[in-house]
């Protein structure tokens, strides 16, 4: 197992990886030859998706070739995400460590320790690892087993067993579904490699959000524990107890709400843009795109068990689904009104990104960004 780094402090990252990989559900049954064929096909689709996405979006870059495409299994996804979490959360955990030293809950935290937190984080990651089809890791540190782009570049992850599981569950054409998924993820890679300032802007917003966190470490630890207990079936009523609040919402300060509004807007843009591109390219290269989209939307809307829905709400995953929907409507409305080149003005600078209210009212963004100068 790849070492994630130091295991001292509030989170034992290595134990989180070990716990998640031990608890992760097995993937669908495939033969060795079939597994190799799936991996090879996903790599081919990732390569062909570059040209499709760049042609459709008119966003060009040479940096994508420096961003590795990794076809991983569920434990591989866990290791990659723990490395990313450890990197992005470092300032917050250091702050919480300092605060823990003088807090009334210091003795309790000392007893609980980073190992228990690592186990509970691992439980959550094991849940998520069977649900993600693909991911562009923006803040991925490079390791020997998990390379990343140079100069802070990310990596593109495609989770092969999950893709196979969903294509079987939906009963869709496997080759079409695999290309459809890679089109979405390739769009994310294009967004960050074609817009040089986007990564630093997003990281700055995340760090601003974390810097404003003013919550006792015990509160965060308790929320992680509640989510883990929900996953284990100990608190299936969590959605009523928590009033529908997610982990993010429970730690907000007024300043954080402002940052979170901006983060919500940019994430809605990125996710909605990827969905729009995936469906826009689809008809030309994915013959069964209509059937895939219809079945996939039904799967999203139907959800899963009550326990699954409770955990989704606690983790804020419902908000992510809204981001796909609201962001796609924004992109579609702007492209319909201004064309693709007019929409691409969104990538000019942080000032041209839509606000949260503009995501809901695209005409307001058009009026602000495309307004004619007064004579």
């Amino acid at each position: 197992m790849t070492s994630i780094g130091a295991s001292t402090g509030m989170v034992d990252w290595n134990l989180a990886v070990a716990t998640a990989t031990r608890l992760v559900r097995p993937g669908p049954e495939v033969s060795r030859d079939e597994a190799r064929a799936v991996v090879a096909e996903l790599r081919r689709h990732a390569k062909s998706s570059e040209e499709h996405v760049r042609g459709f979006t008119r966003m060009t870059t040479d940096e994508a070739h420096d961003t590795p495409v990794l076809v991983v299994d569920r434990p591989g996804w866990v290791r990659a995400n723990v490395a990313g979490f450890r990197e992005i959360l470092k300032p917050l955990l250091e702050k919480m460590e300092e605060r823990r030293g003088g807090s009334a809950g210091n003795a309790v935290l000392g007893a609980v320790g980073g190992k228990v937190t690592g186990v509970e984080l691992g439980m959550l990651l094991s849940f998520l690892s069977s649900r993600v089809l693909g991911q562009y890791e923006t803040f991925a540190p490079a390791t020997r087993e998990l390379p990343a782009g140079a100069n802070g570049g990310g990596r593109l992850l495609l989770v092969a067993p999950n893709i196979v599981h969903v294509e079987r569950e939906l009963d869709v054409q496997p080759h079409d579904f695999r290309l459809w998924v890679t089109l979405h993820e390739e769009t994310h890679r294009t967004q960050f490699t074609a817009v040089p300032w986007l990564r630093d802007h997003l990281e700055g917003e995340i760090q601003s959000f974390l810097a404003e966190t003013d919550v006792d470490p015990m509160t965060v630890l308790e929320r992680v524990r509640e989510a883990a207990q929900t996953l284990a079936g100990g608190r299936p009523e969590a959605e009523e107890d928590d009033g529908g609040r997610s982990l993010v919402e429970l730690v907000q300060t007024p300043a954080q709400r402002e940052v979170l509004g901006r983060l919500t807007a940019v994430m809605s843009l990125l996710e909605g843009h990827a969905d729009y591109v995936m469906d826009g390219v689809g008809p030309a290269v994915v013959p069964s795109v209509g059937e895939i989209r219809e079945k996939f939307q039904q799967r999203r809307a139907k959800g899963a068990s009550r326990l699954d829905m409770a955990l989704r709400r606690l983790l804020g995953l419902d908000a992510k689904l809204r981001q796909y929907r609201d962001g796609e409507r924004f992109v579609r409305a702007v492209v319909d009104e201004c064309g693709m080149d007019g929409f691409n003005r969104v990538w000019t600078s942080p000032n041209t990104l839509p606000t949260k209210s503009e995501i809901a009212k695209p005409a307001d963004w058009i009026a602000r960004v495309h307004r004619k100068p007064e004579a």
Side-chain angles (χ1 to χ4, degrees), residues 11 42 54 73 91 98 112 129 141-142 147 155 157 171 193-194 206 210 240 289 293 343 355 364:
V11 182
L42 288 173
R54 284 154 182 70
D73 57 10
E98 293 175 2
V112 173
S129 67
R155 55 184 169 231
L157 304 179
D171 190 25
T193 55
I206 292 172
L210 296 177
E240 288 86 6
V289 66
R293 166 54 78 184
F343 166 78
T355 64
D364 290 352

Side-chain angles (χ1 to χ4, degrees), residues 58 126 240 348:
R58 303 180 190 175
S126 71
E240 288 86 6
T348 304

Side-chain angles (χ1 to χ4, degrees), residues 2-255:
T2 301
S3 176
I4 303 301
S7 295
T8 59
M10 297 196 68
V11 182
D12 186 329
W13 297 105
N14 288 337
L15 187 56
V17 172
T19 301
T21 53
R22 186 175 68 251
L23 297 177
V24 70
R25 300 173 183 176
E29 292 187 8
V30 294
S31 67
R32 186 182 299 272
D33 288 343
E34 184 180 3
R36 280 198 289 260
V38 170
V39 170
E41 183 173 23
L42 288 173
R43 291 187 180 281
R44 290 196 302 272
H45 285 331
K47 181 65 177 177
S48 65
S49 292
E50 290 184 33
E51 181 178 351
H52 296 316
V53 170
R54 284 154 182 70
F56 184 80
T57 63
R58 303 180 190 175
M59 300 171 71
T60 58
T61 176
D62 294 328
E63 296 181 16
H65 300 293
D66 184 44
T67 308
V69 177
L70 307 180
V71 181
V72 298
D73 57 10
R74 291 168 179 175
W77 179 89
V78 168
R79 288 192 292 272
N81 276 266
V82 166
F85 289 158
R86 183 172 184 270
E87 185 74 16
I88 201 69
L89 292 177
K90 187 184 301 181
L92 173 63
L93 294 179
E94 289 175 351
K95 178 180 178 179
M96 291 174 70
E97 283 278 11
E98 293 175 2
R99 180 163 183 171
R100 184 179 73 170
S103 71
N106 184 38
V108 177
L109 275 172
V112 173
K115 291 189 178 302
V116 173
T117 310
V119 168
E120 292 170 342
L121 177 60
M123 292 174 68
L124 297 180
L125 288 170
S126 71
F127 167 82
L128 295 171
S129 67
S130 63
R131 285 155 174 77
V132 177
L133 301 181
Q135 174 184 356
Y136 180 74
E137 275 204 298
T138 314
F139 310 109
T143 67
R144 184 175 62 182
E145 294 181 7
L146 295 165
N151 302 318
R155 55 184 169 231
L156 184 62
L157 304 179
L158 297 171
V159 191
N162 296 349
I163 292 173
V164 172
H165 171 77
V166 174
E167 70 190 26
R168 291 179 178 179
E169 178 185 332
L170 298 181
D171 190 25
V172 293
Q173 214 286 334
H175 306 294
D176 286 3
F177 184 74
R178 294 167 194 175
L179 177 55
W180 189 70
V181 170
T182 57
L183 287 169
H184 181 102
E185 303 310 329
E186 176 58 37
T187 302
H188 285 318
R189 180 163 68 159
T190 298
Q191 291 163 347
F192 283 94
T193 55
V195 184
W197 53 265
L198 184 57
R199 179 189 183 276
D200 288 342
H201 172 73
L202 189 59
E203 182 177 16
E205 292 283 58
I206 292 172
Q207 293 303 337
S208 294
F209 179 87
L210 296 177
E212 289 293 335
T213 297
D214 188 23
V215 64
D216 186 87
M218 279 298 296
T219 303
V220 176
L221 186 61
E222 181 62 24
R223 289 300 158 183
V224 172
R225 181 174 295 108
E226 288 175 359
Q229 290 172 345
T230 300
L231 176 60
R235 297 184 68 243
E237 73 287 358
E239 69 271 32
E240 288 86 6
D241 288 353
D242 291 332
R245 298 175 297 174
S246 71
L247 285 169
V248 170
E249 292 168 327
L250 287 165
V251 300
Q252 282 185 62
T253 65

